[in-house]
DNA sequence: TTACATGCAAACTGTTTGCAAATAT
DNA sequence: ATATTTGCAAACAGTTTGCATGTAA
């Protein structure tokens, strides 16, 4: 768990006012361990931790944190969006049956032979999802 | 455009009755060129082609075609699902600004150093999305 | 004739938004 | 004081479902 002062600073550097709700959410999200959350799971998490944050604010805050580069959205097929507190270069291991997500350090995995891009285009980033299942 | 007979056979091999609606959808989808469709775009496409298929049936049929291995769902962050008529091993180039999707042949792109999998797990497949933007 | 497929409209889920009240600066 | 943030509830988009009708085998 990070001291509140650091979290406050984190928000201020992102140009976000350190309100009670954003602090509560940031405390849950940025406790030092990498996390993958949905709006719903974060909402439950923060309220379980004693916070009092409406679901609408959770959505707003996820967007703001994403825009500020504090979170990364992960593209998983399906109905809900996932956000990753690990914003560094890495890939994902996705358990198709469980619906769970694990990080894979990008040191381990290498990609070569990226195609020529349409002119005027540049790579934003490369998402790799290793889909695994039982058997 | 494939002859109707082949399309009928395609459906029958998948254990799907070749109804008028499924034929109309399959004709649009499997015309020989690789496509990425959403339920909405396919619905428009089939009706523009003279078909008469309700949106609910488009959804049902997309699921059935996916289950039968005729289509693959592509994980793109966002509100709607995309289906790919190219079910072979390949990757995607995703234009973040336009929301458009291009295939990348997997011969071109190589991945090495896949992590050790949790025991009892096996790779279902690897999704790679090269996100590009202008600049 | 019988099991399966379709269309419609209603239901549902995740997400977004308008606005009045509350809060940070 | 003022601009931003919040919560609520209503709106919304995409998707799914129940059921009566239609169709393939």
């Amino acid at each position: 768990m990070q001291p509140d002062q650091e979290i406050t600073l984190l928000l201020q550097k992102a140009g976000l006012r350190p309100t009670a709700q954003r602090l509560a959410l940031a405390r849950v999200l940025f406790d030092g361990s990498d996390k993958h959350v949905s709006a719903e799971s974060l909402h439950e998490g923060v309220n379980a931790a004693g916070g009092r944050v409406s679901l609408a604010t959770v959505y707003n805050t996820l967007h703001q944190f994403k825009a500020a580069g504090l979170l990364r959205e992960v593209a998983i097929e399906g109905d809900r969006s996932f956000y990753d507190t690990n914003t560094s270069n890495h890939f994902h291991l996705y358990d198709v049956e469980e619906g769970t997500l694990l990080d894979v350090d990008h040191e381990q995995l290498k990609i070569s032979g990226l195609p020529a891009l349409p002119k005027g285009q540049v790579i934003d980033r490369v998402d790799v999802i290793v889909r695994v299942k039982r058997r």
Side-chain angles (χ1 to χ4, degrees), chain A:
Chain A
M1 172 78 86
Q2 298 196 38
D4 271 23
Q5 204 175 4
E6 278 184 33
I7 297 189
T8 300
L9 217 71
L10 193 77
L11 294 178
Q12 286 174 333
K13 279 200 288 188
L16 298 170
R17 290 184 180 173
T19 64
Q21 292 81 347
R22 296 213 268 234
L23 283 169
L25 291 168
R27 251 183 252 118
V28 172
L29 286 170
F30 310 120
D31 68 352
S33 75
D34 293 336
K35 288 184 176 47
H36 304 103
V37 304
S38 64
E40 198 59 57
S41 75
L42 179 58
H43 186 227
E44 286 167 16
V46 74
N47 287 331
R52 219 154 306 212
V53 185
S54 78
L55 187 54
T57 297
V58 172
Y59 276 105
N60 291 337
T61 305
L62 283 173
H63 291 160
Q64 293 157 351
F65 284 7
K66 177 189 173 186
L70 301 175
L71 292 175
R72 166 186 294 191
E73 190 169 1
V74 184
I76 296 291
E77 76 191 39
D79 36 12
R80 62 187 77 187
S81 295
F82 285 90
Y83 292 85
D84 192 339
T85 59
N86 179 351
T87 58
S88 69
N89 193 2
H90 70 286
F91 305 122
H92 289 110
L93 211 61
Y94 178 62
D95 186 322
V96 178
E97 284 139 342
E98 297 290 330
T100 54
L101 209 52
L102 280 176
D103 284 350
V104 178
D105 196 302
H106 86 291
E107 308 278 302
Q108 295 177 55
L109 201 152
K110 288 233 162 47
I111 296 181
S112 57
L114 284 173
L117 301 181
K119 63 171 180 183
Q121 301 273 43
V122 73
I123 289 182
D124 175 31
R125 74 170 194 253
V126 180
D127 284 349
V128 177
I129 301 178
V130 181
R131 300 163 51 96
V132 299
K133 59 180 180 184
R134 220 162 298 127
R135 208 256 300 244

